[in-house]
Amino acid sequence: LCAAVLLKDMKLMDVKLGQLPSWLAMRDFTPGGILGAVRRGYDRYYNKYINVRKGGLGGISMVLAGYVVVSYIWSYSHL
């Protein structure tokens, strides 16, 4: 049996293009909601790439690559 998932409980990748405006309207854009989303994203990243039993360079190299890209963009403001 296939259970119907409410639109507000769907992940962004599961939302159809026609449902996107109503899905965005259901999001919490208050400062607390944005802070909660950032915290959940950080926890998800930390548990997937940093807090693992057999660690590798994947998570740290992604952070460093992001830093390089952001610093490049800041250095060349005409981009």
Side-chain angles (χ1 to χ4, degrees), residues 40-60 62:
R40 284 190 306 273
Y42 172 77
D43 289 341
R44 190 172 175 185
Y45 170 82
Y46 182 80
N47 288 326
K48 187 172 182 179
Y49 294 107
I50 306 297
N51 189 22
V52 292
R53 189 170 297 209
K54 290 170 72 173
L57 295 176
I60 295 172
M62 279 194 285

Side-chain angles (χ1 to χ4, degrees), residues 2 4-6 8 12 18-19 23-24 46 56 63 65 77 79:
C2 194
V5 179
L6 295 175
K8 69 175 188 168
L12 178 59
Q19 298 171 326
W23 182 84
L24 283 172
Y46 182 80
V63 171
S77 58
L79 293 179

Side-chain angles (χ1 to χ4, degrees), residues 4-78:
V5 179
L6 295 175
L7 184 61
K8 69 175 188 168
D9 296 330
M10 292 177 80
K11 294 181 181 179
L12 178 59
M13 296 298 293
D14 297 331
V15 175
K16 304 245 187 302
L17 194 57
Q19 298 171 326
L20 190 60
S22 58
W23 182 84
L24 283 172
M26 294 180 192
R27 300 294 100 193
D28 184 14
F29 289 109
T30 63
I34 293 171
L35 182 65
V38 169
R39 185 175 294 140
R40 284 190 306 273
Y42 172 77
D43 289 341
R44 190 172 175 185
Y45 170 82
Y46 182 80
N47 288 326
K48 187 172 182 179
Y49 294 107
I50 306 297
N51 189 22
V52 292
R53 189 170 297 209
K54 290 170 72 173
L57 295 176
I60 295 172
S61 64
M62 279 194 285
V63 171
L64 290 176
Y67 172 74
V68 167
V69 168
V70 168
S71 65
Y72 181 81
I73 290 171
W74 285 341
S75 298
Y76 297 98
S77 58
H78 64 277

